Amino acid sequence: MTTQPAWQSLQSQRESLPHLRDLFAADPARAEKFQREAAGLFFDFSKNLLTAETLANLLDLAEAAGLRSKIDAMFRGDKINITENRAVLHTALRAPRTASIKVDGVDVVPEVHAVLDRMADFSNRVRSGEWKGHTGKIIRNIVNIGIGGSDLGPVMAYEALRHYSDRTRIFRFVSNVDGTDFAEATRDLDPSETLFIVSSKTFTTLETMTNASTAREWLLAGLGGDSSAVAKHFVAVSTNAEKVSAFGIDTANMFGFWDWVGGRYSMDSAIGLSTMLAIGPDHFRDLLAGFHEMDEHFRTAPFESNLPVIHGLLAVWYNDFFGAQTVAVLPYDQYLKRFPAYLQQLTMESNGKSTTLAGTPVDTDTGPIYWGEPGTNGQHSFYQLIHQGTRLIPCDFIAFAHSLNPLGRHQDLLMSNVFAQTEALAFGKTLAQVEAEGTPAALAPHRVFEGNRPSNVLLADKLTPATLGRLVSFYEMSVFTQGVLWNINSFDQWGVELGKVLAQRIIPELESAGEPDLKHDSSTNSLIRRYRKMK
Ligand code: F6P
């Protein structure tokens, strides 16, 4: 990629780009040139450090990287996850019933809809009170046990769509192997009214299996020890039927998915069972329809009007040409408070790679660090650094025209902050402006805002299940675009394995009655010895 003429041209542009103040002053039509709209999302990227030539060059890079054919390969079900020999078909999870997508010659769409129908039937039975607990009480509490993709999507979606959720029920999420997570999530719950959803693609994950066992003990202790109670209080979501039954959950109470769904791409599979229980099957289908709408836009729109493609290319632009190490995601909607955490796994587990698909070291930086908090809270915390610090931090502002809780002036005040922040970041405040305000000379340099700090604004009508689906698909496809440009596999996660293996070795060393024969480095050995003494 770095030898492409477009890459060279971008490198020289980066040196000579005018300040955003000058770019806007020189072209009164700049905003319209760098705004696009599709699938209910309005995308303003005009406050980015770019010219028409920059965009053209970035689009050239996408062509040179074969993005079009790679998109087709993904949607077709080719095994593009080459290190695990798997198709990558989260898009099939939201394909309409009439679609046909084949993996190894088998159409997966009927299976997807069969699971969705079973989930809907189960959700309706729980929500209506027809599904009863072991003692005949209706289920009032739903606890999802999972971690990573089996937790972050469900938590984020539950929080994001709380407005649409069944407020008569309590939803909790347990992920951490720290016992505090389970204890706090269940301390005020009545076992006879509690349903656990054990969510794990592999059904082998240490944290989830440990929490699931603790949940079973907690339930049985609360219900008099009758193990037949498990059938009414535990369901599983997994690709691994064997392990589910070995754990003691009847596979009749299991909702499956497939190896072609990556954990971080699974919130719209059966992993979304807690979401469906919260918002109901109809809203869940709206969520899937929103995903599909953005998928189709990404699959079919020309690159120059393709929202996720442009967004992904801009991420590459800052990452590789400006050395920007992070991206801030700033949702101006309290319901999206877990969205940055969700995006961290999606982006960083996908593109935190340093080996190309060919097995060679990458020759550019890859996945940036994603982080963020909802606005306006972040403004009173870390925005100082974004405005006046020494680092370039591209920002994504996400906002909605309508609040789900319209209260007096709140929404206008909220939105005024979105617009003000992007304006301040782009245009800043010069020394001359500061001095003209009569600021004392000694203070003036402290009050200068350099400006020229890039941001995107994503604006939608309001946060609905469909909008959330569109937004998540938008980021999934942006991540895909970035991965294609870097020629990496965005769908494996070997980097999480080593720590897991080492922990397995250390567990018996912490638990053994006798002093273990430690063979680690001196630091790890002494930490283990110190912990054994302290515990
Ligand atoms: O450790 C990382 C990971 O494998 C993620 O990719 C995944 O989402 C998470 O663990 C949970 O895995 P599982 O759903 O198999 O329990």
Side-chain angles (χ1 to χ4, degrees):
M1 196 52 46
T2 53
T3 57
Q4 292 290 326
W7 190 280
Q8 314 289 334
S9 162
L10 286 164
Q11 233 154 14
S12 59
Q13 280 174 59
R14 185 253 174 280
E15 305 304 324
S16 57
L17 266 183
H19 193 287
L20 275 172
R21 275 196 286 265
D22 301 319
L23 288 171
F24 272 90
D27 182 4
R30 179 176 170 87
E32 296 85 80
K33 286 188 184 141
F34 300 115
Q35 292 172 336
R36 305 285 186 270
E37 189 166 12
L41 286 189
F42 181 75
F43 178 39
D44 180 346
F45 59 101
S46 62
K47 293 195 189 84
N48 276 285
L49 312 180
L50 87 166
T51 63
E53 190 190 0
T54 320
L55 182 59
N57 287 156
L58 288 169
L59 292 167
D60 288 345
L61 285 185
E63 295 293 350
L67 180 59
R68 176 61 62 202
S69 64
K70 294 201 170 182
I71 292 173
D72 291 343
M74 175 170 72
F75 277 81
R76 200 168 47 223
D78 288 7
K79 297 195 173 168
I80 61 169
N81 176 358
I82 56 167
T83 61
E84 296 179 306
N85 193 30
R86 287 176 180 166
V88 173
L89 269 180
H90 41 281
T91 51
L93 298 170
R94 51 260 193 165
R97 257 180 226 280
T98 47
S100 166
I101 303 165
K102 292 197 171 147
V103 178
D104 294 329
V106 177
D107 187 357
V108 299
V109 177
E111 296 178 44
V112 166
H113 282 273
V115 174
L116 279 171
D117 291 344
R118 279 188 63 228
M119 287 166 65
D121 176 58
F122 176 72
S123 299
N124 286 334
R125 288 168 68 199
V126 173
R127 284 162 63 88
S128 68
E130 184 194 328
W131 178 285
K132 303 241 174 1
H134 183 61
T135 63
K137 289 193 179 171
I138 68 168
I139 298 296
R140 298 205 175 277
N141 316 311
I142 289 141
V143 181
N144 186 75
I145 297 177
I147 197 164
S150 301
D151 168 70
L152 289 162
V155 178
M156 182 278 288
Y158 172 68
E159 293 293 345
L161 301 177
R162 214 170 183 159
H163 178 78
Y164 305 88
S165 72
D166 175 355
R167 304 291 188 142
T168 66
R169 291 190 160 79
I170 291 173
F171 289 83
R172 300 264 166 84
F173 299 85
V174 175
S175 53
N176 201 334
V177 75
D178 180 347
T180 297
D181 204 11
F182 182 85
E184 286 293 339
T186 52
R187 60 181 302 130
D188 56 348
L189 304 186
D190 176 349
S192 65
E193 298 181 334
T194 302
L195 174 77
F196 289 99
I197 305 173
V198 185
S199 298
S200 175
K201 179 174 171 180
T202 54
F203 233 71
T204 57
T205 305
L206 171 90
E207 292 88 339
T208 303
M209 291 303 105
T210 306
N211 279 319
S213 297
T214 301
R216 188 169 48 188
E217 281 163 27
W218 177 86
L219 181 95
L220 295 181
L223 295 182
D226 180 355
S227 61
S228 68
V230 169
K232 289 288 170 197
H233 293 269
F234 275 80
V235 296
V237 178
S238 187
T239 58
N240 194 339
E242 223 172 275
K243 296 266 182 216
V244 168
S245 41
F247 179 82
I249 298 178
D250 188 341
T251 45
N253 294 337
M254 167 180 160
F255 299 87
F257 61 114
W258 306 270
D259 72 355
W260 40 262
V261 182
R264 55 194 175 273
Y265 296 90
S266 67
M267 61 169 274
D268 48 339
S269 70
I271 290 290
L273 184 62
S274 60
T275 314
M276 194 189 269
L277 282 161
I279 65 173
D282 290 346
H283 281 135
F284 195 83
R285 289 195 191 274
D286 290 347
L287 173 78
L288 297 183
F291 268 105
H292 182 64
E293 209 183 327
M294 184 57 79
D295 291 350
E296 283 302 283
H297 165 71
F298 177 65
R299 189 177 68 81
T300 60
F303 290 165
E304 63 271 17
S305 54
N306 194 311
L307 272 61
V309 168
I310 295 172
H311 186 263
L313 293 173
L314 287 169
V316 172
W317 174 228
Y318 294 117
N319 194 67
D320 292 343
F321 295 88
F322 291 79
Q325 296 195 345
T326 81
V327 175
V329 182
L330 310 166
Y332 277 65
D333 190 305
Q334 191 59 24
Y335 284 124
L336 288 182
K337 67 180 183 194
R338 296 292 288 163
F339 195 64
Y342 170 77
L343 276 190
Q344 287 186 326
Q345 188 195 12
L346 176 65
T347 59
M348 290 156 71
E349 200 168 59
S350 295
N351 284 342
K353 313 284 164 66
S354 49
T355 303
T356 68
L357 287 166
T360 54
V362 292
D363 58 358
T364 59
D365 276 322
T366 59
I369 298 154
Y370 280 74
W371 60 285
E373 276 289 319
T376 56
N377 296 5
Q379 290 176 207
H380 300 273
S381 160
F382 52 79
Y383 278 38
Q384 164 65 39
L385 186 149
I386 307 180
H387 282 289
Q388 285 191 315
T390 55
R391 295 173 193 282
L392 181 80
I393 302 181
C395 300
D396 283 357
F397 288 81
I398 302 169
F400 302 92
H402 296 101
S403 170
L404 293 168
N405 297 290
L407 285 178
R409 302 167 63 214
H410 283 252
Q411 188 66 6
D412 285 344
L413 300 186
L414 179 71
M415 292 302 290
S416 71
N417 277 280
V418 175
F419 305 138
Q421 288 299 325
T422 65
E423 196 176 17
L425 287 168
F427 300 101
K429 200 173 190 183
T430 62
L431 184 62
Q433 287 170 319
V434 174
E435 285 170 348
E437 287 171 352
T439 309
L443 256 189
H446 298 279
R447 303 191 62 165
V448 169
F449 287 68
E450 181 190 33
N452 214 30
R453 295 172 187 229
S455 64
N456 292 313
V457 175
L458 282 165
L459 188 59
D461 184 49
K462 75 175 178 203
L463 182 53
T464 62
T467 308
L468 183 69
R470 294 171 186 131
L471 199 57
V472 174
S473 167
F474 168 84
Y475 276 100
E476 286 176 349
M477 301 310 167
S478 170
V479 165
F480 178 78
T481 300
Q482 295 168 47
V484 167
L485 269 275
W486 292 318
N487 195 30
I488 55 177
N489 184 355
S490 301
F491 302 104
D492 60 11
Q493 56 285 316
W494 298 105
V496 300
E497 294 305 322
L498 178 59
K500 286 187 195 174
V501 172
L502 295 182
Q504 287 299 341
R505 251 183 241 163
I506 292 173
I507 292 167
E509 295 170 348
L510 303 185
E511 292 183 332
S512 71
E515 205 50 44
D517 178 20
L518 298 177
K519 296 211 164 64
H520 306 274
D521 59 277
S522 61
S523 162
T524 310
N525 286 345
S526 77
L527 287 167
I528 291 171
R529 283 191 197 108
R530 173 66 59 130
Y531 171 73
R532 284 180 57 94
K533 253 191 226 141
M534 289 168 77
K535 81 177 193 154

